[in-house]
Amino acid sequence: MRDADGNVRAHFQPLADWLAETPAARVTEKRREADLLFHRVGITFAVYGDKQGDERLIPFDIVPRVIPRTEWEALEHGLKQRVTALNRFLHDIYHDQEILKAGKIPADQVTKHDAYQPVMRGLDLPNGVYSSIAGIDLVRHDDGRWYVLEDNLRTPSGVSYMLENRKMMLRLFPELFARQQVLPVEQYPALLLETLRAAAPPRLRRDPSVVVLTPGQHNSAYFEHAFLAQQMGVELVEGADLFVRDDYVYMRSTTGAQRVDVIYRRIDDAFLDPQAFRPDSVLGVPGLVAACRAGHVSLSNAIGTGVADDKSIYPYVPAMIRFYLGEEPILQNVQTWQCRDSDDLKYVLGHLEELVVKEVQGSGGYGMLVGPASTQAQIKAFRARLRANAGNYIAQPTLSLSTCPTFVKRGIAPRHVDLRPFVLSGKEVRLVPGGLTRVALKAGSLVVNSSQGGGTKDTWVVD
Amino acid sequence: MLSRVADRIFWMSRQMERAENMARILGVTSDLAVFGTREVQQQNLIAPLTITDTGEAFFKRYGSVTLKNLIEFHGLDEGNPSSIYSCLRLARENAHEVRWQITSEMWETLNATWIEMRGLKRGNLDGAGATRFFDWVKERSHLFRGVTYGTIVRGEAFDFSRIGTFLERADNTARILDVKYHFLLPSVADVGGALDYYQWTALLRSVSSFETYRTLYRDQILPIKVAELLILERRMPRSLAACVDQITIALGRITGQQDAPAKRLASELNARLTHAHIEEIFSSGLHEYLEKCLVDFGDLGARIQRAYLGAA
């Protein structure tokens, strides 16, 4: 919120004024009200490994994160560029593999990747889109530049918080929205539905029938699946609600079998179809992959997008942008050392105290080391794990992230934040001005994942 | 509507109705526990097990039929799938799965009921505490039904909820009448005796129809009229006729692909209850009549399951 000289940045001024003039008691009261409302609506999530309970609230911070419109517009261009290139890359590696032939990325690293799905080879998708819904994790460095931390091209979640957080802010602080023009995000479900319809099999002579496929109510993001289905006005289905006959997909309804054309699936590839992937999956639909291959149903996101979003492919995304689009990347990658490379590994082992080390396939903030925040013993233990399985790790410098004022026990204090905008690719690439802002609630912490005690904020793009 | 969703809504309502009926049965059982000879007391105590057909499961885990054991088994036992505890849990679980297809008030009612049930202290369930518990269950069920009626959009969700409620209730009324009638019958000669009167009153009270009986018949309590009220009286909302009527109405609003068998049976049952005379029922045997009803209710449930709700 402040510039290098410690002055409040202009776009944050109205909010700073409001914070200064509003009595603390009223703010506290509003925070309680927010908690109560979230509980009532049941916006909760399940945490893996949390024996305590099935559900818990993600802490919501009432101080929004504010981004000036001009800054957002640059970001938006960068995001569209990046996601377009990633979709081109996915099309390419399942077709002619020109980028591999050109030697821009080691072929083995792609085609031998666990998430590379040979079943997708040669299959043409509507609009050439593989990842219809992409969540790109960004951080703003305190030098003012935005960096991409991670691309999420499989089943990114969190958009329901973007929408619910905005609704909550409008309800709690209507007067704040009068002070500043905040760009709306409420059109997201409508855009999502349009995007999903655009993914429908071509030559369909009626409105495509869209469903949301969830693993069920015990999944950590079940709330979001139900929420999005309801907002779009489509059915929320589980695997057992669907069946495949003659390579067409149907859902079981009270009026009999109903055709399904587009499945917004929130189930990982491995569990989608016991005939094609894990035979022990009870979440999926037998025959679904064959129906896809026959072109009778579309999955969003497509099967096999995971090969483009893990941390071992991440360093090549700038090369993809140059290769497919002939443009310079607008958004920066964070410098990344690949521990499977012996020179890089040597460097990483020598600088563990200052680096962040992550598992290549890890997510949710599990199994990572934040060097500057770790004890000698933790670093020592991690060093052993790293040596034992170096190929499984990458390392990045600890970024000096920008912070955002946040309510903590003692009042307002700066906390690190990141941002996940959601990029929708259909006939065109679109996004709403905003995203999910996650905040690390522990002082100094850089880990914002909700499973690790992070919270969320509303994200305001302001004129 | 998805078959699974319809199924959860149907069972959500059915489980809640079942919890209420269990509370009614236990309530009348504990009212009668201290009356009459030892033999009569024992007969009264065994009634809940006979009505719910759970004697075998009970004796596997409990040594003797005491009021305390019955309240434990039918009220609180987590291992008994038809205990009040289990019904409230299942109703809430079903609701949780479809909470986006029902109203938030419905979900909140079932969720709050379950949370309160879980917090219940066993020690508080003796004597008056037990009565308070049964009343509470009935109230929660009334509340849920009222909230459903008052908030949910008229459509399949509403219809399947109604069908679940009334199918469960019809089944329950038939069972209570069948069991109670047969051990009250030997004492009919003694009509007017204090205990007898009390027992018949208790039976009527257990289905909330004591006042209704008074209003409709303005007469002393005659066994044949009790049977008529509980089977054929359409104005009495817990009678078989009233329940089947509601089921037929709800089914009539639903269209499915292969639902003729379900609709046909519902209409048959409805016609049979509309045009019957209680004297005829008695002359061919009340017990036989009620048994046939119970088989038909079971069959109707199975046909509804097949037509709309997917494999059971």
Side-chain angles (χ1 to χ4, degrees):
Chain A
M1 69 174 270
R2 287 173 195 278
D3 62 22
D5 303 326
N7 300 315
V8 172
R9 292 168 67 205
H11 61 274
F12 202 82
Q13 194 61 54
L15 206 59
D17 293 345
W18 180 85
L19 282 168
E21 71 201 38
T22 307
R26 190 176 129 73
V27 174
T28 308
E29 185 192 307
K30 288 286 179 187
R31 291 177 64 208
R32 278 213 198 98
E33 201 180 324
D35 272 357
L36 203 72
L37 285 170
F38 272 121
H39 256 301
R40 225 212 244 143
V41 188
I43 304 175
T44 57
F45 75 111
V47 183
Y48 296 114
D50 184 352
K51 283 193 196 120
Q52 252 294 322
D54 330 308
E55 293 175 350
R56 151 176 132 188
L57 279 181
I58 295 186
F60 168 68
D61 185 68
I62 60 168
V63 186
R65 195 248 183 97
V66 186
I67 301 169
R69 186 177 190 147
T70 46
E71 198 170 335
W72 170 261
E73 277 163 0
L75 259 185
E76 190 178 340
H77 281 130
L79 287 164
K80 286 180 176 174
Q81 178 195 53
R82 188 168 177 105
V83 171
T84 303
L86 284 162
N87 272 315
R88 293 277 292 271
F89 169 72
L90 283 161
H91 178 85
D92 185 24
I93 59 172
Y94 289 119
H95 289 81
D96 299 335
Q97 306 190 336
E98 280 165 10
I99 199 165
L100 308 183
K101 287 176 193 154
K104 301 288 180 192
I105 303 176
D108 276 4
Q109 225 175 301
V110 174
T111 56
K112 296 209 170 130
H113 194 288
D114 280 348
Y116 183 81
Q117 303 287 8
V119 71
M120 291 300 288
R121 266 192 214 140
L123 182 62
D124 290 329
L125 298 184
N127 308 305
V129 170
Y130 284 71
S131 188
S132 309
I133 302 102
I136 310 296
D137 291 346
L138 303 162
V139 287
R140 187 175 178 278
H141 196 269
D142 63 5
D143 65 8
R145 298 216 291 184
W146 288 85
Y147 291 85
V148 176
L149 272 188
E150 195 169 82
D151 306 292
N152 297 280
L153 306 178
R154 306 176 200 204
T155 57
S157 62
V159 80
S160 55
Y161 296 101
M162 171 182 88
L163 296 168
E164 286 293 311
N165 289 354
R166 174 62 56 84
K167 211 156 87 188
M168 188 64 68
M169 290 301 287
L170 278 163
R171 186 161 170 173
L172 293 177
F173 308 107
E175 71 273 21
L176 270 178
F177 289 85
R179 295 185 180 220
Q180 245 172 330
Q181 175 76 33
V182 179
L183 301 189
V185 294
E186 290 80 358
Q187 67 277 31
Y188 181 85
L191 290 185
L192 175 61
L193 183 59
E194 242 175 73
T195 304
L196 292 169
R197 284 166 169 248
R203 294 185 307 277
L204 209 59
R205 279 199 205 86
R206 52 186 164 78
D207 274 348
S209 148
V210 177
V211 299
V212 177
L213 175 61
T214 174
Q217 54 173 324
H218 301 295
N219 183 269
S220 61
Y222 179 74
F223 164 80
E224 178 160 305
H225 309 159
F227 175 86
L228 289 174
Q230 196 214 28
Q231 295 287 309
M232 291 191 287
V234 305
E235 294 287 357
L236 175 69
V237 303
E238 297 179 11
D241 296 325
L242 300 180
F243 68 94
V244 177
R245 192 169 57 207
D246 302 331
D247 285 347
Y248 284 94
V249 181
Y250 299 86
M251 59 180 151
R252 302 175 213 273
S253 85
T254 52
T255 52
Q258 280 182 22
R259 266 277 291 282
V260 171
D261 306 308
V262 181
I263 303 176
Y264 177 25
R265 51 91 170 217
R266 298 291 296 257
I267 293 183
D268 292 341
D269 284 357
F271 296 97
L272 270 181
D273 178 353
Q275 285 175 8
F277 304 117
R278 280 179 64 154
D280 60 335
S281 169
V282 291
L283 302 175
V285 186
L288 184 56
V289 171
C292 269
R293 287 231 36 123
H296 295 159
V297 71
S298 302
L299 294 180
S300 285
N301 291 341
I303 295 165
T305 54
V307 65
D309 77 359
D310 92 9
K311 299 180 184 75
S312 67
I313 296 295
Y314 163 88
Y316 300 103
V317 177
M320 290 176 201
I321 294 170
R322 290 184 195 105
F323 185 79
Y324 296 113
L325 308 178
E327 299 169 6
E328 273 309 298
I330 299 168
L331 296 172
Q332 308 300 309
N333 259 21
V334 180
Q335 185 182 6
T336 302
W337 290 275
Q338 311 234 28
C339 299
R340 68 186 147 68
D341 179 294
S342 60
D343 286 347
D344 280 12
L345 177 64
K346 204 171 140 202
Y347 178 86
V348 171
L349 286 170
H351 296 80
L352 276 181
E353 291 79 3
E354 56 199 68
L355 297 175
V356 178
V357 191
K358 301 173 181 172
E359 285 184 24
V360 172
Q361 312 230 18
S363 68
Y366 294 100
M368 65 187 280
L369 175 86
V370 182
S374 301
T375 63
Q376 280 305 318
Q378 282 169 330
I379 289 174
K380 199 177 156 207
F382 201 87
R383 189 186 305 272
R385 271 160 60 197
L386 182 54
R387 274 189 209 279
N389 192 3
N392 199 28
Y393 293 93
I394 55 114
Q396 293 172 335
T398 313
L399 296 178
S400 173
L401 301 186
S402 67
T403 59
C404 181
T406 300
F407 268 99
V408 295
K409 273 210 179 96
R410 289 188 189 146
I412 294 186
R415 289 291 182 268
H416 292 299
V417 288
D418 79 351
L419 175 67
R420 174 181 291 183
F422 295 87
V423 184
L424 298 174
S425 305
K427 289 195 174 72
E428 49 186 323
V429 184
R430 294 188 292 189
L431 56 163
V432 297
L436 169 68
T437 292
R438 298 184 297 179
V439 54
L441 294 174
K442 278 184 229 155
S445 171
L446 297 172
V447 184
V448 295
N449 303 80
S450 51
S451 49
Q452 309 282 315
T456 70
K457 286 170 171 290
D458 193 10
T459 312
W460 288 7
V461 176
V462 298
D463 254 333
Chain B
M1 168 174 278
L2 282 179
S3 295
R4 176 177 51 86
V5 171
D7 178 81
R8 302 307 184 266
I9 290 173
F10 171 82
W11 281 103
M12 164 189 79
S13 299
R14 215 171 157 164
Q15 299 288 2
M16 200 62 194
E17 179 70 23
R18 190 172 287 180
E20 176 186 336
N21 290 328
M22 207 59 243
R24 290 173 173 278
I25 293 170
L26 287 176
V28 69
T29 304
S30 53
D31 282 352
L32 293 174
V34 292
F35 285 91
T37 61
R38 233 188 127 64
E39 197 191 344
V40 170
Q41 283 184 8
Q42 212 46 39
Q43 266 184 326
N44 270 323
L45 275 180
I46 208 104
L49 295 170
T50 322
I51 292 169
T52 55
D53 205 7
T54 49
E56 203 177 318
F58 177 84
F59 287 111
K60 263 187 196 149
R61 308 225 298 285
Y62 298 84
S64 58
V65 184
T66 61
L67 187 59
K68 189 164 180 294
N69 281 349
L70 283 174
I71 293 176
E72 176 69 29
F73 178 68
H74 288 297
L76 311 171
D77 195 331
E78 295 171 35
N80 173 9
S82 62
S83 70
I84 291 172
Y85 180 96
S86 300
C87 287
L88 296 182
R89 178 174 61 79
L90 292 167
R92 187 258 183 196
E93 270 176 21
N94 281 309
H96 187 249
E97 207 180 317
V98 296
R99 73 203 233 196
W100 292 84
Q101 279 90 6
I102 59 178
T103 61
S104 52
E105 287 97 331
M106 288 167 71
W107 157 247
E108 280 166 24
T109 303
L110 291 179
N111 194 37
T113 304
W114 169 239
I115 289 168
E116 215 174 316
M117 176 76 229
R118 250 187 344 186
L120 215 71
K121 302 259 184 312
R122 274 187 164 72
N124 296 345
L125 286 185
D126 292 337
T131 307
R132 270 201 302 277
F133 171 57
F134 305 140
D135 286 346
W136 172 77
V137 176
K138 279 198 282 181
E139 274 172 28
R140 297 308 296 187
S141 174
H142 292 325
L143 178 63
F144 172 67
R145 215 166 33 249
V147 161
T148 303
Y149 199 86
T151 61
I152 199 169
V153 63
R154 270 29 180 184
E156 281 183 304
F158 175 69
D159 293 328
F160 282 109
S161 166
R162 299 290 280 182
I163 294 170
T165 300
F166 289 105
L167 196 57
E168 181 66 25
R169 187 182 293 174
D171 183 84
N172 188 260
T173 300
R175 284 168 190 274
I176 291 187
L177 184 60
D178 193 24
V179 170
K180 280 290 176 183
Y181 206 93
H182 278 83
F183 85 77
L184 289 179
L185 214 51
S187 56
V188 168
D190 191 26
V191 169
L195 173 66
D196 197 40
Y197 174 80
Y198 197 83
Q199 294 241 33
W200 283 102
T201 312
L203 166 59
L204 285 171
R205 281 194 204 283
S206 76
V207 288
S208 297
S209 51
F210 177 69
E211 292 84 359
T212 309
Y213 186 95
R214 287 291 191 216
T215 312
L216 293 182
Y217 294 102
R218 303 188 179 285
D219 195 356
Q220 57 175 319
I221 294 172
L222 299 175
I224 192 166
K225 290 199 168 152
V226 172
E228 184 180 39
L229 180 68
L230 266 50
I231 298 172
L232 300 177
E233 181 50 71
R234 206 164 288 264
R235 288 171 293 177
M236 205 290 274
R238 308 193 78 82
S239 74
L240 305 193
C243 293
V244 171
D245 201 26
Q246 291 296 330
I247 294 170
T248 313
I249 291 170
L251 271 180
R253 286 189 295 247
I254 299 170
T255 28
Q257 268 187 337
Q258 283 160 343
D259 59 358
K263 285 180 168 163
R264 192 165 57 233
L265 181 55
S267 299
E268 271 173 35
L269 275 166
N270 206 21
R272 213 194 296 159
L273 288 161
T274 306
H275 304 297
H277 286 288
I278 195 67
E279 291 80 10
E280 279 171 16
I281 292 175
F282 268 75
S283 66
S284 55
L286 176 68
H287 176 62
E288 288 70 20
Y289 184 84
L290 290 172
E291 252 191 348
K292 173 87 171 70
C293 283
L294 285 172
V295 169
D296 286 339
F297 295 153
D299 191 16
L300 181 57
R303 290 183 192 201
I304 288 169
Q305 190 82 40
R306 273 197 301 275
Y308 310 106
L309 310 179

